[in-house]
Amino acid sequence: MEHQALINGINIQYETFGTKSNPAVLLISGLGTSMTRWTTPFCELLATKGYYIIRYDNRDTGCSTFTDKKFNSPEEVFAVLGKGIIEPPFYSLYDLAKDAILLLDYLEISKAHVMGRSMGGIIGQIIASKYKERVLSLTIIMSTSLNPILPQTSPEVMGRMMAPLPNYQTDRENHIKARLVFTKFISSTDLPFNEQEEIALIEKDYNRNERSNNTLMHVYAVGFTPYNREITASITCPTLIIHGTIDPIFLKEHALDLHQSIANSKLLLIANMGHDLHQDRYAEVIERFIEL
């Protein structure tokens, strides 16, 4: 059952799995995606291994608080970022990291394993650096340190990511079709793309909240979070980096950079894995996490 926590003046929607007396695992979602991307089967499987699982909607996604601001185009994003000044209602990934810590406070959890995917992996790095005493371990999946010297996402992929989607309420068929095309484009090539599972996730999101995730606010959050090598350099907890060799958003060099930058980290490069976490990989990912 989902719950809501009022923290730092905003509502954060969350859900738990397992027994609270077990070690906690905090799951952090990626850019513009709600907690449902950490699928129920993944959470339930992890809980059976003796953990207390917490998944939640970052602000501007799912059923958490949305920023009351409308955006018309990606060009507006770059215009605001070009000013180089972060002012309300904008925020950075440091703010999203604080949201995560305040959620743990609300749940009266002093320490947790932190697992983040994509943008959530960057948030996880900030938490492990700035709130060391709260982190038992860090697992970074398909993510980056934001190091600007690394190969960047291609213009083609960025264009697909930023392209506006047909409205779900008025053009459901084409909305789902567009989502499926992009998701398949960034997915693994060695495992079958489960179209029906993907449609079910899309529908689950809209059954929870008919409002579309405010993806552009997360683009701002990443843009307002400059690369800081001291973040990775100061991470001391056990760390696992999981990445695909054909990830088109964060190329594999991003994983190699993280592995080199975080002392004593472990690296799992998965051949033919894209920017996705396929259900057939759940067991391996969880097994490697438990070995940390």
Side-chain angles (χ1 to χ4, degrees), residues 200-219:
L201 282 172
I202 295 169
E203 292 178 335
K204 183 172 183 177
D205 271 351
Y206 279 89
N207 287 333
R208 293 175 68 232
N209 181 10
E210 291 185 355
R211 185 172 181 177
S212 297
N213 292 334
N214 197 349
T215 302
L216 286 182
M217 283 303 294
H218 286 181
V219 174

Side-chain angles (χ1 to χ4, degrees), residues 225-292:
T225 307
Y227 169 64
N228 180 357
R229 65 176 302 276
E230 293 303 316
I231 294 295
T232 50
S234 63
I235 294 173
T236 56
C237 65
T239 300
L240 171 64
I241 299 150
I242 300 174
H243 211 96
T245 61
I246 61 166
D247 190 321
I249 295 179
F250 298 125
L251 278 65
K252 66 180 181 181
E253 286 83 358
H254 290 253
L256 300 175
D257 170 74
L258 284 167
H259 182 42
Q260 183 179 38
S261 303
I262 301 175
N264 302 314
S265 60
K266 297 180 179 179
L267 174 63
L268 173 61
L269 271 180
I270 301 178
N272 301 310
M273 174 176 159
H275 199 76
D276 65 335
L277 184 56
H278 195 284
Q279 188 163 355
D280 288 1
R281 302 202 201 278
Y282 289 176
E284 180 181 16
V285 167
I286 290 173
E287 180 182 350
R288 291 300 187 99
F289 159 73
I290 292 172
E291 290 174 355
L292 267 177

Side-chain angles (χ1 to χ4, degrees), residues 103-287:
L103 177 60
L104 292 179
D105 290 345
Y106 178 89
L107 295 172
E108 299 180 332
I109 294 172
S110 60
K111 296 177 181 289
H113 298 279
V114 174
M115 189 178 294
R117 54 191 293 159
S118 197
M119 183 187 80
I122 311 171
I123 296 170
Q125 294 167 54
I126 294 171
I127 293 172
S129 171
K130 300 297 183 183
Y131 305 92
K132 292 176 180 290
E133 73 284 356
R134 307 298 297 272
V135 181
L136 295 169
S137 74
L138 173 64
T139 300
I140 305 167
I141 304 175
M142 52 188 171
S143 192
T144 179
S145 67
L146 295 176
N147 189 337
I149 70 169
L150 296 171
Q152 299 300 298
T153 310
S154 72
E156 179 194 5
V157 176
M158 282 299 296
R160 288 178 178 238
M161 285 177 62
M162 302 289 278
L165 292 169
N167 185 281
Y168 183 85
Q169 284 78 21
T170 60
D171 195 1
R172 177 183 178 277
E173 181 179 349
N174 283 319
H175 177 97
I176 290 176
K177 182 179 178 180
R179 292 276 295 271
L180 289 175
V181 167
F182 179 71
T183 304
K184 188 172 185 178
F185 174 70
I186 64 173
S187 293
S188 301
T189 57
D190 61 328
L191 296 170
F193 179 69
N194 192 328
E195 185 171 299
Q196 292 308 309
E197 179 185 62
E198 183 64 25
I199 291 173
L201 282 172
I202 295 169
E203 292 178 335
K204 183 172 183 177
D205 271 351
Y206 279 89
N207 287 333
R208 293 175 68 232
N209 181 10
E210 291 185 355
R211 185 172 181 177
S212 297
N213 292 334
N214 197 349
T215 302
L216 286 182
M217 283 303 294
H218 286 181
V219 174
Y220 284 113
V222 174
F224 280 123
T225 307
Y227 169 64
N228 180 357
R229 65 176 302 276
E230 293 303 316
I231 294 295
T232 50
S234 63
I235 294 173
T236 56
C237 65
T239 300
L240 171 64
I241 299 150
I242 300 174
H243 211 96
T245 61
I246 61 166
D247 190 321
I249 295 179
F250 298 125
L251 278 65
K252 66 180 181 181
E253 286 83 358
H254 290 253
L256 300 175
D257 170 74
L258 284 167
H259 182 42
Q260 183 179 38
S261 303
I262 301 175
N264 302 314
S265 60
K266 297 180 179 179
L267 174 63
L268 173 61
L269 271 180
I270 301 178
N272 301 310
M273 174 176 159
H275 199 76
D276 65 335
L277 184 56
H278 195 284
Q279 188 163 355
D280 288 1
R281 302 202 201 278
Y282 289 176
E284 180 181 16
V285 167
I286 290 173
E287 180 182 350

Side-chain angles (χ1 to χ4, degrees), residues 2 15 29 33-41 43 55-57 62 117 179 200-202 204-206 208 213 282:
E2 295 187 19
E15 187 173 16
S29 299
T33 62
S34 63
M35 65 179 174
T36 55
R37 285 285 146 183
W38 292 106
T39 64
T40 297
C43 296
R55 65 177 183 178
Y56 70 99
D57 293 328
R117 54 191 293 159
R179 292 276 295 271
L201 282 172
I202 295 169
K204 183 172 183 177
D205 271 351
Y206 279 89
R208 293 175 68 232
N213 292 334
Y282 289 176

Side-chain angles (χ1 to χ4, degrees), residues 31-70:
L31 186 146
T33 62
S34 63
M35 65 179 174
T36 55
R37 285 285 146 183
W38 292 106
T39 64
T40 297
F42 180 86
C43 296
E44 290 177 341
L45 179 59
L46 189 49
T48 66
K49 304 299 182 180
Y51 296 94
Y52 181 60
I53 315 306
I54 306 144
R55 65 177 183 178
Y56 70 99
D57 293 328
N58 281 309
R59 62 172 90 174
D60 283 303
T61 68
C63 300
S64 291
T65 294
F66 274 62
T67 303
D68 188 21
K69 183 171 176 58
K70 307 298 182 187

